[in-house]
Amino acid sequence: LFRSARGLLLALSFAALGDQLCAQGEGDAIAAYRKGDYAAAERAFAERFAQTGDRRLWFARGNCFFRQQDYAQAIWAYECARLALPRDAELLANLALARRRLELGGEASQSFAEALASLRDRFSRVELVTITTVLMAFAALLLGFSGRRAWSRWLGLVALVPGSLLAAELLWLGPARPQEAIALKKLELVSEPKAGLAPVATVAPGTLVTMRGEGGEWVRVDADGHSGYAKRSLVGKID
């Protein structure tokens, strides 16, 4: 019964998304999905995303991967969709379900910095830009026309501090942060970017990894306290 309920959750989440996508010309992909041809539906959604950049199509691709029991690819697709839909309840539920299928567990206790990062990730980049613009404009208005009114200067400073922090995140901190990715298969990390070496560590499928550099068919990643090189084709960049 519990397994059926989980399947129903996924089906219902896609029903709402499917209605939206059908209205925007994704009828063929939706039809393939509803017929159970999930591989064909995923390819169609991927092609459409390349044309439109609509990140809801990543959500749809994630559901296709999930139906094919490729849970690591589903996590990757859901994480890519989350960049534009950070608070979508159905997306987050499906992501959590895919993680449970791979027995990746829940979120561990967070440090203060990690808690701030989690709060930041609840907003899309467009939302962060909008919030930053409003805060900085509000601060400039209050500080520029405050005269001797202490309350106006105080409110201006209150708006300026978070606005400045968000601006720093958007302009410097975010772009300088290492790229995150998902292990699409089990990764056997090696000490050098070449085949035939004994692995120094293994990383489970679906695990979030940090990319430290890439070139050719190899990428250096950090995961679970381990660092090494993995085949680039086995790592899905979240972008």
Side-chain angles (χ1 to χ4, degrees):
L1 178 61
F2 181 53
R3 182 175 300 175
S4 297
R6 290 189 297 184
L8 179 61
L9 170 64
L10 192 73
L12 289 176
S13 71
F14 191 79
L17 177 67
D19 290 341
Q20 298 173 22
L21 296 179
C22 272
Q24 297 190 357
E26 315 302 336
D28 291 344
I30 297 295
Y33 183 92
R34 289 174 175 164
K35 287 191 299 184
D37 192 349
Y38 303 120
E42 190 279 322
R43 289 193 299 271
F45 286 131
E47 291 173 1
R48 188 61 176 163
F49 173 75
Q51 297 169 2
T52 67
D54 185 346
R55 286 197 174 269
R56 290 176 302 171
L57 295 164
W58 273 111
F59 189 175
R61 291 183 69 190
N63 285 352
C64 293
F65 287 130
F66 192 103
R67 290 300 189 186
Q68 296 176 84
Q69 300 184 14
D70 192 341
Y71 302 122
Q73 293 254 33
I75 291 171
W76 169 54
Y78 290 147
E79 288 287 5
C80 289
R82 196 156 69 107
L83 294 177
L85 306 167
R87 299 180 303 282
D88 188 290
E90 295 170 345
L91 171 61
L92 296 177
N94 285 8
L95 175 59
L97 181 57
R99 289 180 56 83
R100 287 198 298 273
R101 288 292 177 90
L102 291 178
E103 300 182 350
L104 294 175
E107 298 295 329
S109 59
Q110 295 179 318
S111 66
F112 179 69
E114 290 170 336
L116 288 178
S118 179
L119 179 61
R120 176 201 67 220
D121 291 343
R122 290 184 60 81
F123 298 91
S124 69
R125 181 174 178 82
V126 172
E127 290 172 331
L128 290 175
V129 169
T130 301
I131 294 170
T132 302
T133 302
V134 170
L135 287 173
M136 297 301 281
F138 187 61
L141 179 64
L142 291 174
L143 294 174
F145 299 97
S146 62
R148 296 184 177 181
R149 290 171 291 185
W151 65 268
S152 183
R153 291 196 300 272
W154 182 82
L155 286 177
L157 290 173
V158 168
L160 181 63
V161 171
S164 298
L165 292 175
L166 286 174
E169 167 65 26
L170 290 168
L171 296 175
W172 298 293
L173 300 178
R177 194 172 293 117
Q179 175 71 54
E180 291 185 326
I182 297 295
L184 303 179
K185 304 289 182 182
K186 182 175 78 171
L187 302 183
E188 295 189 338
L189 304 184
V190 293
S191 58
E192 298 179 45
K194 61 182 181 181
L197 298 178
V200 297
T202 59
V203 178
T207 301
L208 181 70
V209 303
T210 301
M211 299 175 64
R212 295 295 182 182
E214 58 180 315
E217 63 175 328
W218 294 91
V219 57
R220 187 166 72 89
V221 301
D222 292 345
D224 297 332
H226 301 289
S227 181
Y229 290 88
K231 288 292 187 68
R232 178 66 185 84
S233 60
L234 303 181
V235 177
K237 187 185 298 186
I238 302 173
D239 60 7

